[in-house]
Amino acid sequence: EAEVAQSPRYKITEKSQAVAFWCDPISGHATLYWYRQILGQGPELLVQFQDESVVDDSQLPKDRFSAERLKGVDSTLKIQPAELGDSAMYLCASSLDRGFVSPLHFGNGTRLTVT
Amino acid sequence: DAKTTQPPSMDCAEGRAANLPCNHSTISGNEYVYWYRQIHSQGPQYIIHGLKNNETNEMASLIITEDRKSSTLILPHATLRDTAVYYCIVRVPLFYNQGGKLIFGQGTELSVKP
């Protein structure tokens, strides 16, 4: 079964440094989501793309976070500068959603530790 | 904010059915009920979804009440590998305004015991 690929699996960085995460969704999936999950809590949506366009970034801290999906396929989430409170799991998900209801499929995430 | 209410934790004996309840009393007519689970250090895994009718797949069954204000996820023969956090989520389809995304709550931590 096709999977959502994320890299790196783990990332340790010092505060004030820049960090980037990469996501490759399932082939043909139009919609891509980035979530953040703090330990002990449910995932929280950061940004939603439909093809290459952002459709919801209302919860993205835009002073330090940016996300792009230039060709409507893979995506990058960047944090600059990283803060201690950014330590979390960053999850990417994709869904087919071409005119019908389809589930989100998640990758196994990138675990970020900011020291 | 999440629109569902779930018990924080449940236990189930291995080999028995696990019945996980979910209340979604404010669900709208266009919202689907989705269930995901998350095993430690992995991404959420899709289980099943439904609108009005009961649904069954190879993993589980979803029972939705006639008024759609609550639902139950049934794992028919729980195994130790079913130990996870289970999330019940109501989701607006993508083709509606603000649709597509999943809004997670705290979920139910299911422990399957030998």
Side-chain angles (χ1 to χ4, degrees), chain A residues 11-82:
Chain A
K11 180 70 176 178
I12 300 173
T13 191
E14 295 181 348
K15 64 179 181 178
S16 80
Q17 296 299 304
V19 64
F21 315 125
W22 178 77
C23 171
D24 190 13
I26 294 173
S27 178
H29 279 200
T31 316
L32 184 146
Y33 307 79
W34 282 102
Y35 282 82
R36 177 173 60 185
Q37 186 173 24
I38 296 170
L39 194 63
Q41 299 182 15
E44 172 195 27
L45 180 72
L46 292 174
V47 62
Q48 175 183 348
F49 288 92
Q50 179 67 24
D51 298 311
E52 66 276 8
S53 300
V54 173
V55 297
D56 186 350
D57 63 356
S58 57
Q59 300 303 311
L60 188 71
K62 299 181 188 64
D63 56 336
R64 297 185 301 107
F65 285 64
S66 64
E68 61 182 15
R69 193 185 184 199
L70 293 176
K71 296 183 179 179
V73 181
D74 59 339
S75 177
T76 302
L77 178 70
K78 296 179 181 177
I79 308 175
Q80 183 173 16

